Amino acid sequence: MESGLFFNITTIAYFASMVLFFAYIAARTSTLAFFATLAALAGFITNTIALGLRWYESYQILGVDGRAPLTNLYESVVFFAWTIVLIYLLMDLKYKQRAVGAFVMPFALFSMVGAQMWLNAGIDPLVPALQSNWLTYHVITCFLGYAAFAVACGVSIMYLIKIGKEEQHKGDAPMGGILGLFPPCRVLDDMNYRAIMIGFPLLTLGIITGAAWANYAWGTYWSWDPKETWSLIVWFLYAAFIHARFTRGWIGRRAAWLSILGFAATIFCYLGVNLVLSGLHSYGGS
Amino acid sequence: MTETTKPQNADDYADKIWDFFCSLKLTIIILLLLSILSIIGTVLQQNAPAAEYIKEYGQSNYELFVKLQFVDMYHSWWFIGLLGLFSVNLICCSIKNFPRVWKFVTEPALIASPGILKNSANRLEATSKDDRQQLANRLSALLKKEFGSAQQSEKDGKLYLFAQKGIYSRFGAYMTHLSILVIMAGAIIGNVWGYKAYVNIVEGTSTSQVWSRNGQVPIDLGFTVRCDDFDVSYYANSRRPRDYNSDLVVIDNGQEVLHKRIEVNDPLTYKGITFYQSSYGSAGNPFFQVKVTENATGNVMNMKASMGQPVNLPGGYAFAITDFTAEGRFGPAARVNVSTPDGRRGTPFMVLKDFPEFDIKRGGKFSFSLVDYKEPQFTGLQVAKDPGVEVVWLGCLLMVFGSLTAFFFSHRRIWVCLEEDGGKTKIQIAANAHRNQPGFSLAFDELKQKLDAAIENKSSKKEG
Ligand code: HEM
């Protein structure tokens, strides 16, 4: 399949981007950051092409039963990589804090490598329950939300590294070394919050479209199966984050920890539920 | 002593309770508690038969689970209680804060306080030779075009303008909070006045009763549903089902009122009750259409047979199909027995549907071919009546719009103060936004140039 080739190129581009971001932080040459961002953009474009091609190929293989490439674990993971880089590039447009790439691109790279090493890339026909437009809306909104949380998590890790060093570092002189390139803590904290503000409504939409789909297929919009429950747990955690921030002034370190906890719960909701817990949800072992 | 302090204590007490229910600390604690407690039901299987728990965890643990209601935790008193506390918290909080927010609508701050004029992050100060009203008119016109229509007022000899934008965003959080209550109300309505049930209908038969999913109690539909046909279609060259379909007919008061071919993800709804295609299965013996040729005469007879039932042939002979498989090595295959007029049974032989000429070679008195067969199936339907579902969707809609307005819009206000100062007019302008201050500062910087131009009565283009 052609799309496989493009997914390989995507993986290589994300890898190059990550290495260049690391090199940028180590060598502090802004040219490196430029090329790192360029590699991320190139990877994003090939990722887009690969998804498009896979869509087209599904029609070639399955005829009229072709469908958007968002229906099994492999497709969802490569789509997750795509959404992470999309959200990252959008945040980069606004904040222009290049060092952040070193903490976000690894998530995208892990996804691509994981999908290609361990997951079945075959294009199989769908069981009847999955043949629904709601599935497409559900996957798109959920994963855009997850991606925003991934960016928030990366930024929070940077924040915790930087604030720890900053508190030891006395005086007004700008910090040298690797941390000098990190955005100021204030900016990192703001980015964390902004990313979650983007992610939360998307997760809300993701849960709602999932409920709508379940209602259409089985007549129950909510049945407390482990996947649904975990998505609600994630939602509760980020709702707590937002309230703690708005009204109790939880910023900085506590907000960063809550954001990391939220993302850990997100990943558990996405992968852990299928690997660790039993459930009815479709992205099972297949 | 006690007489005077007691009511005060009671008041204190009431205040404390009220504050407890209003507090945001409680909200955060509840949200975190709900997250943690919800995990139990994802680790421990819910509503499984008792034997399964006992096998896995032992008798005494099982009894503990039952006592703690862990086996159906999302309906336990403590989980529902926590959700109830959550709603009370939400309602109290809104009652407490709403009047303060409503004041922004009923009593807009038309007159800027000296504090705002001096300390606001977004300010502009200027003097002009023009008189107050001229300036007020020019600035009003500009604000109307760029920001929002301005209200003019006068106090202590100073002239004030006030304009605002996006006041609705102050209500985003309330809309979000209301939406949670609406969704919960929808869920309660569904639980009290609705039901979840299932029914299996054999093709060609009908039913007016369904079975509740928990408890297996029969529920009368008040009308009849007939299944005319059920089909499974498969993907080409595979045993993977592509779709299940049932032809359903609704019969109400003896009339066929609704006809629909339902499939997975495409249900049928009648009088608020919805039928979802969910499963299927075999319902009893297959029946067959057989072509029998009397070899001596060439006489052809089309006959129907059902499994194991003898069918009479001319001359006192009879045949019966004694075995059948739809998935034999050569396709669908039936085992046929022919009995003679004196009642002796002959040797059984195979008839293959995909090879209709095959049986001629056997050279008996009759030769058989299998034209068609039908294995009766039942269609498994989930049946749901949920009068609360629309309320839930309304709540979801509210939630989406509410959280978007709460997160991404802000209430922005501008004040202008014009003061006579020794033949000249002193102009002070201040502005703020209740959220996203950095973004608003950028927007204000742009507006500032236009305001400057309006003060100097030039078009803004000429300003460099
Ligand atoms: C879990 C779902 C919830 C969501 C999505 C949500 C959303 C929000 C949002 C977006 C805000 C920001 C409002 C602003 O700054 O103007 C907010 C504020 C607030 N929330 Fe919630 N909320 C939720 C649950 C609750 C609950 C259960 C309470 C109960 C006490 C609560 C109490 C408050 C209060 C008091 C504020 C501050 C309002 C103000 O500043 O005027 N929230 N909420």
Side-chain angles (χ1 to χ4, degrees):
Chain A
M1 286 186 288
E2 286 289 285
S3 63
L5 174 66
F6 280 90
F7 280 125
N8 288 338
I9 299 173
T10 307
T11 309
I12 293 166
Y14 289 165
F15 180 69
S17 168
M18 184 184 79
V19 169
L20 285 165
F21 275 124
F22 287 161
Y24 161 62
I25 287 182
R28 307 212 269 154
T29 327
S30 53
T31 332
L32 285 172
F34 173 75
F35 282 111
T37 310
L38 206 63
L41 184 62
F44 179 71
I45 292 167
T46 46
N47 201 342
T48 314
I49 294 172
L51 285 167
L53 265 178
R54 193 177 163 92
W55 196 337
Y56 173 74
E57 284 161 2
S58 79
Y59 278 92
Q60 286 193 315
I61 294 173
L62 305 174
V64 290
D65 298 311
R67 76 293 160 110
L70 303 168
T71 56
N72 60 28
L73 192 57
Y74 173 86
E75 291 173 344
S76 78
V77 174
V78 294
F79 182 68
F80 187 33
W82 185 85
T83 54
I84 291 172
V85 181
L86 173 68
I87 300 273
Y88 166 68
L89 289 173
L90 289 176
M91 296 278 283
D92 184 64
L93 268 179
K94 181 162 161 58
Y95 285 90
K96 302 195 172 50
Q97 296 290 352
R98 294 283 144 76
V100 172
F103 286 80
V104 175
M105 290 311 292
F107 290 123
L109 179 66
F110 274 144
S111 307
M112 290 305 299
V113 171
Q116 294 189 303
M117 299 228 326
W118 295 301
L119 299 175
N120 171 15
I123 296 180
D124 294 321
L126 293 183
V127 297
L130 294 186
Q131 298 164 16
S132 168
N133 282 336
W134 287 109
L135 171 65
T136 312
Y137 308 140
H138 177 57
V139 173
I140 289 175
T141 47
C142 280
F143 281 93
L144 282 171
Y146 293 176
F149 297 148
V151 172
C153 175
V155 169
S156 294
I157 293 170
M158 289 179 90
Y159 180 90
L160 290 174
I161 295 173
K162 178 140 182 167
I163 195 88
K165 286 278 155 43
E166 213 165 62
E167 280 168 4
Q168 289 163 12
H169 179 88
K170 294 269 148 38
D172 286 336
M175 285 213 292
I178 286 173
L179 296 177
L181 280 179
F182 279 28
C185 284
R186 191 177 42 74
V187 174
L188 286 170
D189 183 55
D190 189 49
M191 287 178 86
N192 181 23
Y193 160 65
R194 294 281 151 158
I196 288 174
M197 289 267 257
I198 294 169
F200 189 76
L202 285 165
L203 177 66
T204 309
L205 267 177
I207 294 174
I208 294 173
T209 48
W213 175 27
N215 189 57
Y216 227 64
W218 299 288
T220 30
Y221 50 84
W222 197 263
S223 52
W224 294 105
D225 91 71
K227 195 88 174 179
E228 285 171 348
T229 308
W230 269 94
S231 70
L232 194 65
I233 291 171
V234 172
W235 193 77
F236 284 147
L237 282 175
Y238 284 107
F241 174 98
I242 287 164
H243 285 82
R245 184 173 190 103
F246 274 165
T247 47
R248 298 199 64 80
W250 273 37
I251 51 169
R253 208 184 285 249
R254 285 201 271 188
W257 278 115
L258 205 47
S259 169
I260 292 171
L261 181 69
F263 187 62
T266 306
I267 290 301
F268 191 82
C269 175
Y270 176 24
L271 299 173
V273 170
N274 299 113
L275 300 177
V276 183
L277 308 170
S278 63
L280 303 163
H281 225 261
S282 66
Y283 295 165
S286 69
Chain B
M1 220 26 213
T2 34
E3 271 93 299
T4 49
T5 49
K6 213 175 182 182
Q8 214 180 339
N9 269 344
D11 265 4
D12 270 5
Y13 211 61
D15 272 357
K16 279 226 177 81
I17 291 177
W18 175 245
D19 284 347
F20 169 78
F21 282 121
C22 287
S23 92
L24 229 106
K25 212 185 212 163
L26 180 64
T27 314
I28 294 167
I29 290 170
I30 294 175
L31 284 170
L32 294 177
L33 259 177
L34 281 172
S35 316
I36 294 164
L37 292 174
S38 297
I39 296 175
I40 297 171
T42 68
V43 177
L44 189 71
Q45 208 187 349
Q46 298 290 291
N47 296 310
E52 265 180 49
Y53 294 110
I54 293 167
K55 195 171 128 223
E56 186 105 351
Y57 303 98
Q59 180 73 34
S60 58
N61 278 335
Y62 170 65
E63 277 162 17
L64 184 67
F65 291 163
V66 170
K67 205 171 276 168
L68 295 174
Q69 303 188 328
F70 278 7
V71 295
D72 187 14
M73 69 147 277
Y74 302 108
H75 302 104
S76 67
W77 64 266
W78 48 269
F79 194 76
I80 302 277
L82 199 56
L83 288 176
L85 187 61
F86 187 60
S87 320
V88 171
N89 184 210
L90 202 53
I91 293 168
C92 292
C93 228
S94 305
I95 291 175
K96 187 174 168 190
N97 287 316
F98 192 80
R100 193 169 51 80
V101 177
W102 186 240
K103 262 195 178 162
F104 284 107
V105 178
T106 54
E107 298 169 27
L110 294 178
I111 288 165
S113 69
I116 292 176
L117 292 174
K118 280 226 171 55
N119 302 326
S120 171
N122 307 295
R123 276 185 306 138
L124 172 68
E125 282 185 22
T127 48
S128 166
K129 293 188 289 296
D130 296 343
D131 83 53
R132 290 189 320 178
Q133 195 55 52
Q134 273 178 325
L135 281 164
N137 290 346
R138 288 210 298 269
L139 287 170
S140 282
L142 176 76
L143 284 174
K144 190 172 166 89
K145 190 162 128 246
E146 302 285 337
F147 200 80
S149 58
Q151 278 173 279
Q152 187 174 328
S153 48
E154 198 162 356
K155 195 187 171 207
D156 301 335
K158 296 177 195 170
L159 203 55
Y160 291 93
L161 296 177
F162 170 75
Q164 62 179 348
K165 226 160 113 169
I167 191 167
Y168 56 85
S169 66
R170 295 250 182 206
F171 298 95
Y174 294 94
M175 218 160 124
T176 313
H177 297 161
L178 180 66
S179 75
I180 296 170
L181 298 177
V182 171
I183 290 171
M184 285 190 184
I188 291 171
I189 292 171
N191 269 305
V192 174
W193 286 288
Y195 56 76
K196 309 277 179 222
Y198 70 91
V199 66
N200 295 336
I201 309 179
V202 178
E203 284 175 288
T205 68
S206 56
T207 183
S208 54
Q209 246 185 8
V210 295
W211 299 87
S212 86
R213 254 181 255 175
N214 39 8
Q216 259 97 89
V217 197
I219 300 169
D220 270 319
L221 288 173
F223 54 87
T224 303
V225 182
R226 190 176 72 218
C227 174
D228 280 348
D229 188 25
F230 172 82
D231 264 323
V232 191
S233 60
Y234 294 94
Y235 286 106
N237 310 320
S238 114
R239 298 296 301 164
R240 223 177 226 264
R242 176 164 184 248
D243 231 326
Y244 321 141
N245 308 285
S246 305
D247 268 341
L248 296 188
V249 179
V250 176
I251 302 152
D252 199 0
N253 278 326
Q255 301 230 287
E256 295 193 1
V257 286
L258 191 59
H259 219 127
K260 183 167 175 180
R261 189 171 180 77
I262 68 163
E263 56 179 50
V264 183
N265 276 312
D266 188 13
L268 170 150
T269 303
Y270 181 70
K271 285 196 170 165
I273 300 171
T274 309
F275 298 83
Y276 301 84
Q277 181 72 65
S278 83
S279 63
Y280 64 96
S282 156
N285 287 332
F287 39 88
F288 308 89
Q289 204 178 330
V290 184
K291 192 173 86 179
V292 186
T293 313
E294 194 175 6
N295 288 334
T297 60
N299 222 352
V300 174
M301 295 158 279
N302 283 311
M303 317 193 95
K304 283 190 170 29
S306 42
M307 187 79 143
Q309 300 291 317
V311 180
N312 290 331
L313 291 168
Y317 288 85
F319 80 95
I321 294 178
T322 53
D323 198 6
F324 173 74
T325 169
E327 284 157 45
R329 198 139 69 94
F330 303 103
R335 189 168 64 195
V336 181
N337 252 329
V338 178
S339 55
T340 53
D342 54 9
R344 272 189 305 123
R345 297 177 67 184
T347 337
F349 52 91
M350 297 300 276
V351 174
L352 301 172
K353 176 168 182 284
D354 296 345
F355 302 93
E357 309 292 306
F358 177 73
D359 193 49
I360 295 171
K361 296 196 199 85
R362 187 173 48 88
K365 188 168 168 53
F366 300 96
S367 53
F368 295 81
S369 66
L370 183 57
V371 178
D372 203 0
Y373 66 93
K374 188 111 185 113
E375 296 186 279
Q377 285 174 309
F378 68 81
T379 177
L381 306 175
Q382 301 273 23
V383 184
K385 179 178 170 186
D386 190 344
V389 76
E390 274 87 10
V391 179
V392 171
W393 296 146
L394 177 73
C396 290
L397 206 68
L398 258 181
M399 175 174 287
V400 170
F401 283 108
S403 52
L404 289 180
T405 19
F407 290 165
F408 297 109
F409 295 90
S410 63
H411 182 205
R412 287 144 291 169
R413 293 179 291 176
I414 290 190
W415 295 269
V416 180
C417 171
L418 302 164
E419 188 181 356
E420 207 66 78
D421 189 12
K424 287 187 175 175
T425 305
K426 188 174 153 209
I427 304 148
Q428 286 176 291
I429 300 177
N432 71 23
H434 93 297
R435 208 174 297 115
N436 188 19
Q437 277 87 1
F440 182 67
S441 288
L442 287 177
F444 185 72
D445 284 344
E446 241 168 68
L447 186 62
K448 228 171 172 172
Q449 299 188 354
K450 292 178 181 156
L451 287 167
D452 270 329
I455 289 166
E456 290 173 27
N457 205 8
K458 287 188 266 190
S459 99
S460 57
K461 300 256 168 53
K462 281 183 229 156
E463 280 285 303

